Amino acid sequence: MVESLLPVWVILLPVIGSLAVFGLGFTAARRFREWIALGVEIVAFLLSISVARQVWGGARLSSLNMALYVGGLSALMLVLVHAMVLVILIQAVPYMRKELVSGRTTDGRLTLFYALVLLFSGTMTWTVTTNNLVMLYVAMEGSTLATALLVAFYRARASLEAGYKYVLLVITGMTFSLFGIILVYAAGVQHLGSGRSALMVTEMGKIANAIPKDIALMATAFMTCGFATKAGLVPFHAWLPDAHAEAPTPISALLSGLVIKIGAYALVRTVTIFAPHYRAIVLFIAILTSTSMVIGIVMALVQDDLKRLLAYSSISQISYVFEGLGLGTYLGIYGGLFHLVNHTLVKALLFLSVGAIMYATGGKRRISELGGLASKMPITAVAFFIGALSIGGLPPFNGFMSKFTIFLAVGEAKLLWAAAIGIFTGMLTISCLVWAAYRVFWRKPAVEVVMANPGEVREVPFMMWLSLVILAAACVVIGVYPQILHRPLDVATRAVLQIWAGGY
Amino acid sequence: MTEQTLVVLTLAFLIVSIFTVELRNLRVTVFFYWMHSVFLFLTIAAYAHVMKNPTLYIWCGAVFLFKMIIIPALMSTFLKRVPIYEFRPVLGFAISLVIISSLEIIFFNLFRHYAYLLAPAGHYQQEPTRSLLAGAFTVFTLGLYALLTRRDALKTVIGLALMENGVHLVLLALASGLPETTMIGILTDVVVVVGLLLYISTTIYEVFGFTDTARLSELRR
């Protein structure tokens, strides 16, 4: 255990950056806000890499008397969060600039945009590094609240409705998880004594088997429902398609890539610790996720709006992550975390591709209004197609590797029906996404669409396709050479199992 | 003597909460929400006195500041911008009052009877914690009922606040030894949630011209 202040700085840096961007918004220096945000994120990314390298080298970092604790799992999430915020910000700069020029937003609100994205980055870092159960809840609420005004960013009717639903439903769901956390704490006090140690995530393993069965099942059911709301699983998903579709597209990528993953992170921190002791929890999560993945993808099949289609597909994919993590076995947690990383990369790639399409066509996102874009936007077309194949789970791409691991883990847990449902959903996913890609990029557009688009659609500028190329390359590299991620995932999985065994 | 006072206070707290949900004039509702907070404050003070637990008095102070001053102030500010009469809820006044009262009585007795499901140790299943826990869970269900049946934006926010108050009451009944930082974290969180929801509702009123959340259905096509 190494005492270090580095994790504190990774939290504080984006928060300070956020305040700086907000403060400079009142001065003439506000034209630098994009570059300040990018600069802060680059430094935060480098800091998180340096934290993670220490952890992967075998150390464990803790700060402020164990208030923050960075083990394998936190290190993985830390790098993922800052890498994704950075990649998404790279695309957000030209995208939001065009929104400003086209009059869909104002200068003042653009300042708020960058301030809130940085604040969100800080709350996410806090969520994945805190070692305190109640603070985990508070930090998750913080990440919801930081993104709320981003969802309602355009202040049009639809975005206000989406923002209202998002806050109300997610906060209501999260209140249930606070209930579960309180029950775990109150039960833990009987074994660990009053004070801070009963609140610590790292002490959960010691009490998971010791507290009364009724209380353990009650608490895990409450927590699962709360975290499933944050992750948008069916039947807690009502906010997700609206929020994803109505937010500015970089924010959709952020929501789908990171916000819903926090539900999975909280699940593996709490419920997974209980899962090996109680078969009922494993079954409950398997039934919940199997229902959710089928309904999610069936809803995606009938969507015409590309962003809603991707949002429903996220519901389906996050269910795979939950399914793996809920098993509580080495292979299950490994597969769940692997799919968590892969889905973050792929879904961000797909949403940013839609962002590129909207940038080039002046905001069109209905499949019926698009067509034949492949010749005009070759980079975006290839990127979207790689994303579609990967999320469908086709072999040379990363999605296949992680889904296959989850299927193996589910089979190992003797839940063959769940594996069958998973494979069936995978087939639906690939047909849904590839069909959408075909219609947008290769199908000859209808005459009225051509008339509405007088031939000025062209490939997006460098900063926009840069992030697409980075993410697409990551998908291919992880698919061809998955060993590249083995060390981080192995350390993360072992960290969870160590806590389960009562140590850290 | 004091234990009975606590039970009476818990019951009064529940009755005031029912009025908070049921009354139609939103200004009166906000006043009753303030009364609800006062009874929450008094219940916690009585509980602290009965259990001889001085840390609970810190909770009292925090509840006074956050729930009795800041949140009602936010709600009154909101009411200066929007009409003060609630949109007709899903259920009529009389029928809703009958349903909610009977539900609350049933829930209160159920929660008291099955206290072992909610209280992780033997001494929590004794009076007065038993009644306090039952009261807290009942307020939680009351908030959920308000969220599900009310259409007005302020009423849904009040429903959410009632749910949170129920959870906080459970928190300090079961886990009174929590560090102050976590307490401040949780209470600040509620204030920001209420403020943000009311801010979005104000903008909704400016754009749509109403605060009826059931008519927010552009996206349900």
Side-chain angles (χ1 to χ4, degrees):
Chain A
M1 187 79 64
V2 182
E3 186 74 24
S4 162
L5 278 179
L6 217 49
V8 181
W9 281 111
V10 191
I11 297 175
L12 281 184
L13 188 73
V15 176
I16 295 171
S18 161
L19 293 175
V21 168
F22 190 74
L24 287 177
F26 299 104
T27 68
R30 64 171 166 270
R31 64 179 183 279
F32 300 118
R33 62 198 159 200
E34 295 141 8
W35 310 114
I36 296 172
L38 269 176
V40 167
E41 260 319 310
I42 288 172
V43 178
F45 176 61
L46 293 177
L47 283 179
S48 63
I49 289 275
S50 99
V51 171
R53 279 178 62 90
Q54 290 184 45
V55 173
W56 294 332
R60 300 280 178 271
L61 271 62
S62 75
S63 331
L64 308 177
N65 193 17
M66 285 295 282
L68 304 181
Y69 171 79
V70 183
L73 181 58
S74 303
L76 178 75
M77 294 299 293
L78 203 56
V79 174
L80 191 67
V81 165
H82 287 289
M84 292 319 293
V85 174
L86 184 58
V87 169
I88 290 167
L89 261 183
I90 291 175
Q91 212 212 29
V93 172
Y95 186 90
M96 295 314 289
R97 221 179 253 165
K98 185 161 186 187
E99 297 290 273
L100 183 62
V101 172
S102 67
R104 291 195 69 192
T105 179
T106 62
D107 204 45
R109 270 194 256 158
L110 204 55
T111 306
L112 194 64
F113 177 88
Y114 289 107
L116 285 175
V117 169
L118 286 180
L119 185 64
F120 165 75
S121 163
T123 54
M124 288 292 281
T125 318
W126 186 22
T127 313
V128 299
T129 53
T130 184
N131 192 25
N132 181 320
L133 272 176
V134 178
M135 281 303 173
L136 176 68
Y137 160 82
V138 174
M140 282 170 80
E141 295 269 89
S143 70
T144 310
L145 297 171
T147 40
L149 287 180
L150 289 173
V151 170
F153 185 71
Y154 292 128
R155 309 211 186 174
R157 295 171 77 103
S159 40
L160 282 172
E161 179 188 338
Y164 184 82
K165 273 189 196 167
Y166 173 55
V167 181
L168 194 69
L169 295 177
V170 175
I171 301 288
T172 309
M174 288 295 296
T175 307
F176 281 90
S177 70
L178 180 60
F179 242 147
I181 288 171
I182 292 169
L183 284 180
V184 169
Y185 170 74
V189 168
Q190 314 302 322
H191 299 277
L192 297 169
S194 185
R196 286 176 61 235
S197 70
L199 275 176
M200 283 186 184
V201 175
T202 41
E203 303 279 337
M204 287 275 289
K206 292 177 187 158
I207 57 170
N209 201 19
I211 64 181
K213 189 184 175 197
D214 294 326
I215 301 284
L217 290 182
M218 195 85 168
T220 43
F222 273 136
M223 285 193 282
T224 309
C225 291
F227 301 148
T229 316
K230 180 81 180 166
L233 256 60
V234 175
F236 313 106
H237 69 290
W239 64 272
L240 191 144
D242 297 350
H244 281 54
E246 298 312 322
T249 311
I251 300 304
S252 311
L254 216 56
L255 286 174
S256 197
L258 295 175
V259 172
I260 64 173
K261 301 303 185 314
I262 278 302
Y265 171 81
L267 186 91
V268 72
R269 273 291 184 226
T270 53
V271 178
T272 300
I273 308 293
F274 287 88
H277 298 298
Y278 302 104
R279 178 77 179 171
I281 299 175
V282 177
L283 272 177
F284 173 59
I285 294 182
I287 293 170
L288 180 72
T289 53
S290 299
T291 327
S292 178
M293 63 175 75
V294 174
I295 295 180
I297 198 64
V298 168
M299 296 290 283
L301 276 169
V302 298
Q303 300 299 323
D304 186 36
D305 183 337
L306 263 178
K307 282 172 83 172
R308 284 185 90 83
L309 186 150
L310 293 180
Y312 278 111
S313 146
S314 282
I315 295 177
S316 173
Q317 297 298 314
I318 192 77
S319 306
Y320 283 100
V321 178
F322 263 59
E323 186 167 46
L325 297 178
L327 295 174
T329 57
Y330 177 86
L331 203 57
I333 300 171
Y334 188 101
L337 292 177
F338 195 7
H339 198 58
L340 189 154
V341 174
N342 286 339
H343 180 247
T344 299
L345 296 170
V346 174
K347 203 37 83 62
L349 170 66
L350 287 170
F351 266 116
L352 293 184
S353 304
V354 175
I357 294 170
M358 288 171 70
Y359 182 91
T361 58
K364 287 199 171 50
R365 58 183 213 214
R366 295 198 165 275
I367 295 173
S368 51
E369 290 175 354
L370 296 163
L373 289 175
S375 55
K376 291 167 187 156
M377 306 175 68
I379 301 173
T380 312
V382 171
F384 192 93
F385 204 63
I386 288 177
L389 291 178
S390 174
I391 208 166
L394 223 65
F397 299 104
N398 59 353
F400 168 74
M401 297 296 167
S402 46
K403 277 190 187 174
F404 195 64
T405 317
I406 292 175
F407 296 151
L408 286 180
V410 173
E412 188 193 61
K414 301 209 167 38
L415 296 167
L416 285 176
W417 56 271
I421 292 176
I423 293 167
F424 171 69
T425 311
M427 288 194 269
L428 285 181
T429 310
I430 193 155
S431 46
C432 173
L433 266 292
V434 171
W435 189 40
Y438 166 75
R439 281 182 293 167
V440 171
F441 289 105
W442 282 278
R443 180 189 59 176
K444 247 181 103 175
V447 179
E448 58 268 30
V449 176
V450 178
M451 296 302 284
N453 270 333
E456 53 190 39
V457 177
R458 54 176 171 274
E459 188 56 87
V460 288
F462 169 72
M463 264 182 91
M464 290 199 83
W465 62 254
L466 175 66
S467 42
L468 297 184
V469 170
I470 294 172
L471 290 170
C475 292
V476 175
V477 168
I478 293 172
V480 176
Y481 188 71
Q483 291 87 333
I484 198 172
L485 273 183
H486 175 70
R487 175 82 186 143
L489 289 172
D490 182 56
V491 173
T493 311
R494 285 184 194 287
V496 177
L497 292 178
Q498 266 163 15
I499 288 174
W500 174 73
Y504 49 83
Chain B
M1 171 64 193
T2 36
E3 285 189 11
Q4 278 167 1
T5 320
L6 184 62
V7 174
V8 170
L9 273 176
T10 312
L11 290 176
F13 174 63
L14 280 180
I15 293 167
V16 170
S17 311
I18 290 178
F19 278 113
T20 314
V21 174
E22 284 303 329
L23 292 173
R24 292 293 166 75
N25 183 320
L26 292 178
R27 250 182 223 149
V28 180
T29 303
V30 171
F31 173 73
F32 267 89
Y33 179 77
W34 180 78
M35 288 283 283
H36 158 96
S37 307
V38 172
F39 275 104
L40 183 68
F41 173 80
L42 292 176
T43 314
I44 298 170
Y47 188 63
H49 182 69
V50 171
M51 303 301 279
K52 299 186 178 55
N53 185 347
T55 49
L56 283 176
Y57 289 115
I58 305 175
W59 270 99
C60 271
V63 165
F64 182 79
L65 178 65
F66 285 92
K67 293 186 194 285
M68 273 171 65
I69 297 178
I70 301 181
I71 291 182
L74 285 173
M75 288 176 178
S76 325
T77 319
F78 172 72
L79 276 187
K80 283 185 189 137
R81 310 246 170 99
V82 300
I84 58 158
Y85 279 97
E86 186 187 357
F87 275 93
R88 219 176 70 77
V90 180
L91 299 170
F93 181 76
I95 183 140
S96 182
L97 194 63
V98 171
I99 289 178
I100 188 70
S101 309
S102 35
L103 272 182
E104 294 309 275
I105 292 167
I106 294 169
F107 274 131
F108 187 76
N109 285 312
L110 269 183
F111 286 135
R112 274 196 74 203
H113 191 254
Y114 292 101
Y116 67 91
L117 279 178
L118 308 165
H123 60 270
Y124 292 129
Q125 293 164 20
Q126 310 299 323
E127 294 292 351
T129 312
R130 193 189 180 105
S131 292
L132 190 69
L133 272 181
F137 275 94
T138 313
V139 168
F140 181 82
T141 53
L142 182 64
L144 200 58
Y145 173 84
L147 266 183
L148 294 175
T149 58
R150 305 293 128 159
R151 296 166 55 174
D152 195 87
L154 184 70
K155 275 292 175 72
T156 49
V157 173
I158 283 181
L160 190 61
L162 290 187
M163 277 175 76
E164 301 263 3
N165 286 354
V167 177
H168 295 167
L169 206 49
V170 174
L171 180 75
L172 59 93
L174 291 183
S176 53
L178 273 184
E180 287 80 12
T181 45
T182 45
M183 178 183 78
I184 293 167
I186 290 174
L187 290 174
T188 316
D189 171 66
V190 180
V191 170
V192 177
V193 167
V194 170
L196 196 64
L197 272 175
L198 292 178
Y199 172 72
I200 294 179
S201 307
T202 314
T203 323
I204 285 177
Y205 181 72
E206 281 161 9
V207 173
F208 288 72
F210 56 78
T211 51
D212 180 1
T213 53
R215 271 163 66 198
L216 289 178
S217 53
E218 303 246 318
L219 297 173
R220 244 181 259 151
R221 278 164 298 173

